[in-house]
Amino acid sequence: MMKSPENGKENEQMKVEDIISHVDHTLLKAAASWEEIRKLCDEAVKYHTASVCVPSSYVKKIRENYPRLTICTVVGFPLGNGNSESKAEETIHALDDGADEIDMVINIGAVKNKNYDLVTEEIAVLKEIAGDKILKVIVETCYLTEEEKIRLCECVTKGGADYIKTSTGFGTAGASLADIALFRKHIGKNVKIKAAGGIRTREDMEAFLTAGADRIGASGAVRAFYARTFSL
């Protein structure tokens, strides 16, 4: 997966760039200011991350100031237990403001009630709204049994989503390599995987990409990687 130039130091740099290209550079904390969001976007442009992942209230302003930047935003975040209609409206407004990708949180209560049809239908409705834009489905693995995770792989696949995503980063735990392996075994062939939550080091990111994740959700990837690279 990683490029391998002959020079060892150059190889190191290329590997960093490749990993960063899979990162959704993320800032979703409640008190995020425009100054912090702008810094996030500047870093994303400079280091060529896959996207920025931000609160929906900032999408329009980012689009006006960074017209070429890929913008990801969240819907039903972080709990996912609002009604489907509100998630649909959030999605419509986010896309109208200029979002390119939507990360939605499933209704975990519906999972615990074994109402998988509701989960699938909600995903399908949001994907219909998103159209050719990317829809990622956050299942919040820390609250799920293995059986529930497998069933949710089916829901995400049947609902037509583009990605299954491990975590919000606001739950009791984040991504695990075991969950990536489980997802790979049970998701449909057109569904990709985003790992998020607690992924902070270069070693972590390489491990998740090697395990089968296509995207990494992380808030400190750029600083961690490039601080280390520039010291080589």
Side-chain angles (χ1 to χ4, degrees):
M1 181 180 65
M2 304 298 180
K3 299 177 182 179
S4 300
E6 293 180 4
N7 180 278
K9 192 169 181 180
E10 184 181 3
N11 181 45
E12 187 88 356
Q13 177 67 32
M14 289 300 295
K15 289 172 72 173
V16 168
E17 290 174 352
D18 188 55
I19 294 169
I20 288 292
S21 73
H22 290 272
V23 170
D24 288 345
H25 196 25
T26 302
L27 179 55
L28 293 168
K29 66 182 183 181
S33 67
W34 171 242
E35 182 178 352
E36 291 171 309
I37 293 289
R38 185 174 58 187
K39 181 181 178 183
L40 184 89
C41 294
D42 287 340
E43 290 174 346
V45 170
K46 182 175 182 179
Y47 297 112
H48 308 289
T49 64
S51 76
V52 290
C53 187
V54 296
S56 60
S57 59
Y58 283 115
V59 169
K60 188 172 184 179
K61 191 168 185 178
I62 294 171
R63 178 55 67 218
E64 291 169 349
N65 286 272
Y66 299 86
R68 298 180 185 177
L69 188 60
T70 299
I71 304 171
C72 171
T73 194
V74 288
V75 164
F77 193 87
L79 300 178
N81 55 3
N83 61 55
S84 298
E85 291 79 8
S86 65
K87 293 181 185 178
E89 287 297 321
E90 274 191 274
T91 302
I92 291 167
H93 284 292
L95 295 171
D96 286 346
D97 283 346
D100 301 291
E101 303 182 0
I102 302 293
D103 286 18
M104 65 166 286
V105 186
I106 62 160
N107 187 327
I108 301 168
V111 175
K112 297 303 178 181
N113 294 329
K114 301 188 184 301
N115 190 352
Y116 292 101
D117 287 343
L118 185 152
V119 176
T120 302
E121 181 180 353
E122 188 172 88
I123 294 168
V125 167
L126 266 61
K127 181 55 186 175
E128 183 177 2
I129 293 169
D132 60 357
K133 304 294 187 182
I134 288 176
L135 177 67
K136 309 189 200 91
V137 179
I138 307 171
V139 299
E140 200 71 289
T141 50
C142 61
Y143 299 130
L144 305 174
T145 66
E146 182 170 318
E147 179 184 354
E148 289 166 345
K149 293 171 190 176
I150 292 170
R151 291 295 302 273
L152 285 169
C153 286
E154 297 172 5
C155 294
V156 171
T157 302
K158 291 178 181 177
D162 301 284
Y163 282 79
I164 185 169
K165 177 179 171 182
T166 61
S167 320
T168 62
F170 288 74
T172 57
S176 75
L177 293 172
D179 285 334
I180 303 305
L182 185 70
F183 287 170
R184 285 190 67 188
K185 185 175 179 180
H186 294 283
I187 57 174
K189 63 180 181 179
N190 295 322
V191 181
K192 297 178 182 179
I193 300 170
K194 177 176 174 179
I199 303 173
R200 298 183 178 89
T201 68
R202 169 193 178 146
E203 291 75 19
D204 288 343
M205 293 183 191
E206 261 192 273
F208 277 102
L209 290 172
T210 300
D214 183 76
R215 291 283 187 93
I216 300 291
S219 59
V222 165
R223 291 184 296 278
F225 271 105
Y226 281 91
R228 180 172 178 174
T229 300
F230 292 154
S231 68
L232 292 175

